[in-house]
Amino acid sequence: MAIFRAETKSLSRGQGHNLAAAISYRAGIELTDNNKLNPEARSYDYTKKTDVVHSGIILPNQLSEQLEARGIELDFQSIADLVEMGETTLRGKMKNSARLAREWVLCGVPELSRAENIELFEQFAKQQSEEQGVLGMVFVHDPTAGDDMATTKAAANKKKMSAPDPRNIHAHILLLTREINVSAKNKLSLGRKSDSEVSNDERTRPVVPKELIGKVDPKTQKKIQQGRGLCSNSEWLKNTRKQWADILNERLAQKGVQPVTHKSYKDLGLNFKPTKHLGKNASIAERMGVQTYLGKHNESINRHNRSHLKSTAGDLADSAKQGIERSKRRISDSGQNIEWTDAETSWAAGSIRELNRRVADSKQCIEDGKQCIENRKRDVTWAVRANEELNKVHSFNSTNIKWAVRGTERFHKTINSTEQQTASTVEQERSVNSLIAERTGKRSSTRPNPFDDAARRARIDRITEQEGRFDRRTEQFDRDIARNRSADARTAEAAGRLKLNMAMVLLNRHHENSTLQHWETTEDSPDKFDTRQLNLIDNFAQKIGADSKITDFINDSRRVAEIFTADLIERNIEIFKLLRNPAKEREEHNKSLPRKPVSAPQSDLNEFTRGYVDNEPKSLNRANESVLVSSKRYRRP
């Protein structure tokens, strides 16, 4: 019977993983970690592992075309070197928390051949490689091909080894967590993180234009960050498991095998408990007869599931018996219902015959009524036509009379209107002539003539120019306001960042990276706080109420930054200078102190100060040793 298994996990340096070791074990080959920044780099040899039946590299189409065009070929050693040496910090140091790859462990189907299982594994790997845009690797293990490493381990422990489960064909699919970039000089480098490796917040944030990134959202009052506009991580995981189930079910349907499902027992509404995967070491121990904790746990889960299955089967049997009894009672009741139905059918047949007779009579009455209606329509139509002919005769005579009357009225109206328009025109000409004569005779020659087109155009040009100057000044004023607002916003943002930085330094003042340790001097670490400066900062923190215990560093830093008002900073400007530059504050403080001559006798000097008389250090062994001791910040644990 086909089973479903699709598990995923991250291979990270924080968990002690190494990509060269992971590929070497899964491919059954020998690889070397060539990362010079890793002090524990070495070679890994798993050539004795004989259950590896397939190993392959899967490339997304775009990357495959780039490599083929430039003649670049990749193997497992070059992939391990690219990731191990490429996952570094911006300062070129080894990134101890880097995620190197994502692994999917898929279980094959015993009803299919080995070649068919390999084909399905590679189909899933290709699908994920294209979706994420990253390189993938497929390693298929089949216990029927050999189990030399487990046999060797059992022989070393002088124990017998039982045969492995021949149905346990499975695949390890490794997907890199970053895209691969190809430079113009044919050099490979790691690019941005794939969608599956970013945080849930970045996955679900919408994609925004580049010019909006970093600006404050007016609704949330938070800075806008770039997102990828994808579903959440949990939904992505469910969808990926479903993709593998769909690939299997498509092939199982062709073979006539019962399909599998990616859903959990809880999603299916079953009260079963899931078992835990034994893994390599526990599986070998169980086969050697050594009972493990995982083996005991799975056995108890299997007993619980079997008992639950039996009780469920018993409940189903009782339910089936009760259903059979109910069916028998229903059959008996159905016999009586049939007799009643026959009697009712006979009575209904007589009623139907009577109803049919009445329907036939009603139809005949309807036909007679229709005939009467048609006769009445013909009579009404003849009467209407006769009336229309009579109306046409009367209408013709009345129309001629009305036309003659209306024509006479329009003729008289036209004569009256023409006389009125003529008189009005003569009066307007007389009024205009007198007005022109009056104004041209009385007005001074210095006043503009309203009928002068040149003067009118000049006035219009002056008004237009004044309006243009006003519009330009308005636009310049608006631009100045916008520029000042932008400058104020940038200033406020910079001040907020500075206050947050000062708050973080204040809360982090007792950390070993901020305070001089007993083996350090101000010359070695000038940017750290000495005892005097630390006391000043402690008194200031107690004064403003910022010396409480830190529970959440980021939120506490923001809370303290809100306390830093302009009035507080102005009253305590020396403290803020100290927080920003301890070395400069220490130098100014030392300059303000009066100089004291060194007059201590030789006998008063101890073994630590005797080597520094007259400010000339002598070569003490203790001083030389202190130079060789590095800060905890840069030492390996």
Side-chain angles (χ1 to χ4, degrees), residues 349-581:
S351 300
I352 290 172
R353 285 193 296 270
E354 180 65 20
L355 181 63
N356 290 335
R357 184 183 62 80
R358 293 180 180 178
V359 169
D361 295 340
S362 299
K363 288 182 177 180
Q364 185 62 39
C365 292
I366 291 171
E367 292 295 332
D368 295 340
K370 287 182 178 180
Q371 187 63 37
C372 293
I373 292 171
E374 290 294 332
N375 295 334
R376 182 62 57 86
K377 283 183 178 180
R378 284 196 297 271
D379 295 341
V380 171
T381 302
W382 178 85
V384 169
R385 288 179 180 176
N387 190 21
E388 288 178 353
E389 292 295 332
L390 182 61
N391 290 334
K392 285 181 180 180
V393 174
H394 290 291
S395 176
F396 177 77
N397 295 330
S398 60
T399 301
N400 292 335
I401 295 171
K402 290 179 181 179
W403 179 83
V405 173
R406 289 177 181 174
T408 303
E409 291 177 353
R410 284 197 297 271
F411 178 73
H412 289 295
K413 287 181 180 180
T414 302
I415 293 173
N416 295 333
S417 177
T418 302
E419 292 177 353
Q420 293 176 1
Q421 289 178 0
T422 303
S424 176
T425 303
V426 171
E427 183 64 27
Q428 288 179 2
E429 287 181 357
R430 186 183 300 111
S431 177
V432 169
N433 292 332
S434 63
L435 182 62
I436 292 172
E438 180 182 358
R439 291 190 178 183
T440 53
K442 291 183 180 181
R443 289 189 179 181
S444 175
S445 60
T446 58
R447 297 177 61 86
N449 188 354
F451 299 97
D452 188 357
D453 292 339
R456 187 169 58 253
R457 284 195 295 269
R459 288 195 300 272
I460 292 173
D461 292 339
R462 286 196 300 272
I463 294 173
T464 303
E465 183 180 0
Q466 292 175 358
E467 290 178 352
R469 286 198 301 269
F470 179 77
D471 292 339
R472 287 192 295 273
R473 291 178 181 176
T474 304
E475 293 176 358
Q476 181 63 33
F477 182 71
D478 293 339
R479 286 195 296 270
D480 293 341
I481 291 176
R483 184 167 59 253
N484 293 335
R485 286 179 180 174
S486 178
D488 293 342
R490 290 195 298 270
T491 303
E493 183 179 353
R497 289 196 300 268
L498 182 59
K499 290 195 295 183
L500 181 60
N501 186 21
M502 293 295 100
M504 295 173 69
V505 173
L506 177 66
L507 296 180
N508 203 32
R509 62 187 181 276
H510 290 288
H511 194 270
E512 63 179 8
N513 295 334
S514 301
T515 305
L516 289 173
Q517 304 301 311
H518 64 275
W519 64 82
E520 295 178 324
T521 63
T522 56
E523 288 79 7
D524 297 333
S525 302
D527 293 332
K528 291 186 177 182
F529 300 121
D530 56 25
T531 304
R532 178 189 61 82
Q533 294 173 334
L534 194 60
N535 291 333
L536 292 175
I537 299 174
D538 288 341
N539 293 335
F540 174 70
Q542 184 177 7
K543 178 181 177 182
I544 64 173
D547 58 342
S548 57
K549 185 177 180 181
I550 299 175
T551 57
D552 188 340
F553 184 73
I554 299 299
N555 291 333
D556 289 345
S557 299
R558 291 173 179 169
R559 176 181 58 81
V560 174
E562 293 177 356
I563 300 176
F564 291 166
T565 61
D567 187 27
L568 179 66
I569 295 174
E570 186 176 357
R571 292 197 310 268
N572 302 274
I573 189 64
E574 297 299 331
I575 295 295
F576 284 93
K577 288 182 179 179
L578 169 60
L579 292 174
R580 189 165 187 181
N581 195 337

Side-chain angles (χ1 to χ4, degrees), residues 83-95:
V83 175
E84 285 294 337
M85 292 188 291
E87 283 290 355
T88 58
T89 63
L90 296 177
R91 297 182 179 181
K93 296 184 179 181
M94 185 173 176
K95 188 185 294 184

Side-chain angles (χ1 to χ4, degrees), residues 132-190:
Q132 302 296 330
V134 296
L135 180 145
M137 293 169 281
V138 181
F139 309 100
V140 181
H141 296 174
D142 190 351
T144 60
D147 198 16
D148 291 349
M149 291 188 66
T151 305
T152 304
K153 188 173 183 179
N157 294 327
K158 298 180 180 180
K159 292 188 177 182
K160 295 182 179 180
M161 175 69 71
S162 61
D165 190 349
R167 301 171 300 174
N168 188 26
I169 181 173
H170 61 278
H172 298 266
I173 298 176
L174 297 184
L175 298 170
L176 299 188
T177 58
R178 293 182 181 273
E179 300 175 354
I180 295 179
N181 297 330
V182 184
S183 66
K185 297 181 180 180
N186 294 342
K187 289 187 178 181
L188 304 181
S189 61
L190 298 179

Side-chain angles (χ1 to χ4, degrees), residues 44-55:
Y44 302 91
D45 187 2
Y46 289 97
T47 53
K48 294 183 180 180
K49 186 175 178 60
T50 57
D51 60 342
V52 181
V53 295
H54 177 74
S55 300

